[in-house]
Amino acid sequence: MRQHVETKPIGWLKMAEIAFWGAVIWGFARMVANYFSFTPYGVRAFSRVIVGMGSENSLPGILVGFIVLVVFSLVATLLYAVVFSRVHLWWGGILYGLLWFILFGFFFHLAHWTVNTLSTELTWFLSLGMFIGMSVSAEKLDME
């Protein structure tokens, strides 16, 4: 027997807040993983689409990378809220993170990654997907 679950609409400001904090927390985690050489892709890797590979190690490259990460998080949050938030599965965010991992791996040549890079990137995307999925679901199911 299926039970009807009442949800409330999630506002744009709340989605922007989820995206911002996701970018801050997971951007910091990415910088730490890059510092300890778990992955060659720091926050600056997100700036490649704008500044190119030659300038990504500069301070402007890192700042642009963070801004692109915030925009990526916002797009990912909006997409999850629109497409996947009707599915009330606790592991929906894991599948969502896996989809982003595959897409990111396609553009950054997943086949050439080492085990360290593969495991770090997979963990990073799965946990970001869980954060977005659970945050959006928690906001939609909030019983005030």
Side-chain angles (χ1 to χ4, degrees):
M1 176 192 260
R2 257 191 106 137
Q3 189 178 34
H4 180 69
V5 178
E6 289 291 323
T7 61
K8 68 176 188 170
I10 183 170
W12 295 100
L13 191 59
K14 184 53 79 173
M15 284 191 273
E17 181 182 348
I18 292 169
F20 174 77
W21 287 112
V24 168
I25 294 166
W26 273 263
F28 179 74
R30 182 168 282 284
M31 289 189 323
V32 169
N34 178 254
Y35 177 79
F36 287 112
S37 299
F38 293 134
T39 181
Y41 306 111
V43 170
R44 65 185 188 270
F46 288 95
S47 70
R48 284 184 186 176
V49 295
I50 296 172
V51 300
M53 287 183 71
S55 299
E56 75 176 20
N57 286 328
S58 65
L59 182 59
I62 293 170
L63 293 175
V64 168
F66 178 73
I67 292 168
V68 171
L69 181 58
V70 169
V71 171
F72 163 75
S73 295
L74 183 59
V75 168
T77 303
L78 292 173
L79 188 64
Y80 187 89
V82 170
V83 177
F84 298 107
S85 65
R86 294 182 192 266
V87 179
H88 299 292
L89 300 172
W90 69 267
W91 47 270
I94 293 175
L95 294 177
Y96 189 64
L98 185 62
L99 290 172
W100 281 110
F101 168 75
I102 292 168
L103 185 64
F104 186 82
F106 175 75
F107 285 108
F108 285 89
H109 306 290
L110 174 99
H112 302 296
W113 289 356
T114 64
V115 172
N116 286 345
T117 302
L118 185 66
S119 61
T120 302
E121 294 300 328
L122 181 61
T123 302
W124 190 84
F125 278 102
L126 291 179
S127 63
L128 179 63
M130 280 296 292
F131 173 76
I132 290 171
M134 294 185 99
S135 296
V136 168
S137 295
E139 288 299 322
K140 287 183 85 68
L141 296 172
D142 189 24
M143 311 292 183
E144 293 183 20

